[in-house]
Amino acid sequence: MLGELFVAAFVASSGFVAAGVLGSFYHLVTGEPPRFFAEMTGPASLLIVVGLWLVAGPFIFMRNAIQGYYRETFSPKMLAAAGGLAAMWSILSGTFVLSFLLAL
C-alpha cells in the first residue's frame, strides 16, 4: 500500500515539474503566460497548443485558480478543489511524460 502511494506521489510530482517547466518555457519564449484559450494560426500550432494543454494543464489550472482566489471571491474550498483536480491531472500528465521518457 505504501509503495503504491509513493509511486503515485512520484508520478504526480513529475507531472507538476513537467507542467511548471513547460509553462515557464512557454512564458519565456512568447512573453505571455500560457492560457487554455490561446489563438491558433495554423495546423502545426494546433498540435503545439494541445500538447501544451496536456502537459502544462495543471500549471495553467492552478495559476488561474490562485488568481481567482486573490482577485475574485473564490472560497478556500474552491481553491482546495482546484488543487485536487490539478493533482489528479498531474498524475495523468506525469504518467504520459514518464512513459514517454522510459520509451526512449
Side-chain angles (χ1 to χ4, degrees), residues 37-51:
F37 301 107
E39 295 180 15
M40 294 177 271
T41 58
S45 66
L46 176 66
L47 182 64
I48 292 170
V49 168
V50 169

Side-chain angles (χ1 to χ4, degrees), residues 32-84:
E32 60 184 29
R35 296 183 304 262
F36 281 121
F37 301 107
E39 295 180 15
M40 294 177 271
T41 58
S45 66
L46 176 66
L47 182 64
I48 292 170
V49 168
V50 169
L52 178 71
W53 289 344
L54 289 176
V55 178
F59 175 77
I60 301 169
F61 193 66
M62 280 308 296
R63 183 179 48 85
N64 289 343
I66 291 170
Q67 284 178 354
Y69 178 72
Y70 284 114
R71 293 185 182 167
E72 298 173 11
T73 57
F74 273 21
S75 68
K77 292 178 185 177
M78 290 177 69
L79 187 61

Side-chain angles (χ1 to χ4, degrees), residues 1 12-13 17 33 48 70 104:
M1 173 79 179
S13 63
V17 168
I48 292 170
Y70 284 114
L104 294 176

